[in-house]
Amino acid sequence: MKQLVILSGKGGTGKTSVTAAFAHLASLGPFADQVVLADADVDAANLQLVLRPQLREQEEFRGGQVALIDQDTCVRCGDCESVCRFAAIDENTGDYVVDPIACDGCAACVYQCPTGSIAMQEQVVGTFSVSDSRYGPLYHADLFPGGENSGKLVTLVKQRARARALDDQRQLLLVDGPPGIGCPVISAVSGADLALMVTEPTVAGIHDLRRTLDTVRHFGVRALVCINKADLYPAGVQEIESYCHAHGITTLGSIPFDLTVADAMVAGEAITSYRPGSPAGLAISAVWERLTATLMDVETLAN
Amino acid sequence: MRIVVASGKGGTGKTTVATSLALVAAQQHTVCFRDCDVEAPNAALFLHPAFDTHREVGILIPQIDAQQCTYCGKCARVCQFNAIAIVGKKALIFPELCHGCGSCTLVCPEQAISERLAVSGALDSGVTPEGIVFAQGVMDVGQPMAVPILRELKEWSATDVTAAPDIEIRDAPPGASCPVVETMRGADFVLLVTEPTPFGLHDLKQVAAIAGQLGLPAGVVINRDGIGDDSVGAYCAENALPILLRIPMQREIAEAIARGHSLVETVPEYRPLFSNLLDQISARLDT
Amino acid sequence: MKLAISSSGTTLDSPFDARFGRAAAFCLVDSETGIWTTHANPALAAAGGAGVQAAQFVATLGAQAVVSGAYGPKAYDTLSAAGIARMLAPANDAHSVAEVVALFKAGQLTQAGAASHNGHHGA
């Protein structure tokens, strides 16, 4: 089983649209009926908007705990407020109240409260779902707005998707990753055989690509690059290509700026099924062909 | 007046709007700009500050004095993140699990724990050619937690003007989890930048809900107007979210931003529109 | 020797659990006398650092060796600091705890040389 993660660094480079197209293209080629999909962008889980899957299972996701003060036994000494390093306890006309959004769940206040008036409570921070999509089972999750622990939720989505791939003996786990370089990205990258970076030739896109490539390398995963919206700034494309060349990273090709992609999104379809002959559709198909060749070659890690 | 520019979905033009708003505001006001997207800070690419102040930041992690430690294990038991292990006569600390809460230091009966700064990023500040006081946080590669850096960035007053600028603009990270919440805390208004597509709408709802939870007034900027569909407009109407500005999809704008030019430099006709946007925000805060 | 074996149930016939930090339980078996007890893993509910917590737990149980399918780096370091041997049983075969004990007695388990997976982010 191969695990391919799609990343971008900067948001809005077209990562999810490309992932959806890959899911479609995989259903046509040697990976037909061999794919499990995982949407690891739990802050902004958009793959389902394109794939419009049938929901099969859904469960609550419990994240970290938050402190809760029992006002009946609290003696209003303020010790909790003074030990909290997350500014999560506020005094409100004599009462001390925990702001559950700011609370980090460290429980320092619990241990310092002289009257034992503070307890930790588990929070439901999102939902975890298993669906059937046109192109294979989809594992996805939605973090409630402002929720915590998205790295943990990403890990759950990936673990379940991977277990499904192993159970059904499916050969490809396709992971739509989150933007940035932090905890959710680290969770999305861990254990991947290959990371494809969907970047754009903009000053911001190039800046973030470098940081994301450093992160991927830091975790020992091989990276490839494809350049979306390539015709927006040809000099930027050259900059990306020479950067990749200098760092031994293969570029798999370019995708032109094409508003048909937005139309496909509205239609709830992958661009390659909505308008296979569109400039972006053709280019993504070409990238996919090169990508599958690399995937076949890459030695699967011991997982 | 503290304005957060947020979007949920990445790449909707959040930084484009935030930087143009800052450039227009700086013509009449003292402005402080804080780039709170510490995982992928990009605003400096458009505002060109001359950075002159740099500070390393991180969290305070414990170190145990082996002479004083009795290996009672209390520190390991109170740690909610399992960042300390006490096995037999050995104490192990795992900095990557530590949240820097200080609970272990407080409970140690022997005062054997002291704390040291574990660097996870840096803050930089400087002034832009237009006189905007600019500050950004940059998280180190391989670090998982953005919030501690953000918290320091929000508090950081590198120069006098940041202590009380007329207008503070915070460029939020994408997504809808803790870093976005932390960016919004203590702000006065949230400007939501979206694009009229199903992805844009889905993520707009997430981030609008955070502003709602924090009790902050919000308004919407629709970028790339004309692509996609009308569902964002319908959602805003249903939820009484005012649409304060629409920026049509124009290839020239996309090309200029790709090169690192700000919107108001590229299309000066947008200057009065952003000035009007600022007026609308202050009018909403005054009433 | 007192072995702590990661298990997904509460008896000797329960399936071996190849995970260490997130194993459902540990079966503590004395390989000489055959006396065994099972202990629910308190680290199962941990938000992070489950391996560290589980390692401290098996240390308090008095285990001299643990048998699991893989160890993260932090669990490995904690077990090693506690002087507990780290054995690997094949993760893919559906063994029961009793069969793992038999493999141990037959000398068919290998020592974990170093952390065998990359920790709490891994999936």
Side-chain angles (χ1 to χ4, degrees), chain A residues 203-236:
Chain A
V203 290
I206 297 167
H207 174 264
D208 297 345
L209 171 69
R210 288 188 179 142
R211 281 168 64 78
T212 314
L213 281 172
D214 286 347
T215 306
V216 170
R217 251 197 308 254
H218 184 94
F219 291 95
V221 174
R222 185 177 165 196
L224 302 167
V225 167
C226 86
I227 306 166
N228 195 14
K229 308 176 196 174
D231 47 336
L232 274 187
Y233 183 30

Side-chain angles (χ1 to χ4, degrees), chain A residues 10-12 16-17 43-46 48-50 65 83 85-87 99 101-102 104-108 111-112 120 142-150 179-183 186 201-204 207-208 211 214-215 218-219 231-234 257 259 262 265-266, chain B residues 8-11 38-42 45-46 60 77-78 80-81 99-103 106-107 115 138-144 151 174-178 181 185 195-199 202-203 205-206 209-210 213-214 227-229 249 251 254-255 257-260:
Chain A
K10 180 179 178 313
T16 301
S17 292
D43 273 19
N46 288 338
Q48 54 180 322
L49 300 177
V50 183
Q65 303 191 321
V83 301
R85 292 191 181 172
F86 306 97
D99 175 351
I101 295 178
D104 188 65
C106 72
Y111 295 101
Q112 298 306 315
M120 299 305 288
D142 280 286
L143 197 65
F144 294 154
E148 245 190 288
N149 276 335
S150 46
I181 62 165
C183 187
I186 295 169
T202 64
V203 290
H207 174 264
D208 297 345
R211 281 168 64 78
D214 286 347
T215 306
H218 184 94
F219 291 95
D231 47 336
L232 274 187
Y233 183 30
F257 183 69
L259 288 174
M265 201 196 287
V266 170
Chain B
K9 174 168 161 38
V38 304
E39 292 185 45
N42 294 137
L45 301 170
F46 298 91
L60 291 171
R77 283 197 296 278
V78 302
Q80 302 293 296
F81 313 106
H99 286 216
C101 71
S103 194
L106 290 168
V107 300
E115 296 181 19
V138 185
M139 186 165 90
D140 291 346
V141 162
Q143 288 291 333
R151 217 179 274 129
S177 59
C178 356
V181 177
R185 276 161 62 87
E195 60 176 39
T197 63
F199 289 6
H202 175 270
D203 301 347
K205 287 180 185 168
Q206 296 277 106
I210 299 180
Q213 281 169 18
L214 294 173
I227 67 166
D229 60 11
M249 173 66 218
R251 202 185 158 96
E255 287 176 356
I257 287 165
R259 288 169 168 75

Side-chain angles (χ1 to χ4, degrees), chain B residues 76 80-87 90 92 94 96-97 144, chain C residues 46 48-50 52-53 56 59 74 77-78 81-82 120-121:
Chain B
Q80 302 293 296
F81 313 106
N82 294 307
I84 304 182
I86 303 289
V87 281
K90 286 193 182 117
L92 284 82
F94 300 102
E96 62 272 44
L97 294 177
Chain C
V52 176
Q53 194 180 347
Q56 290 180 93
K74 293 186 270 294
D77 290 349
T78 308
H120 93 291
H121 292 296

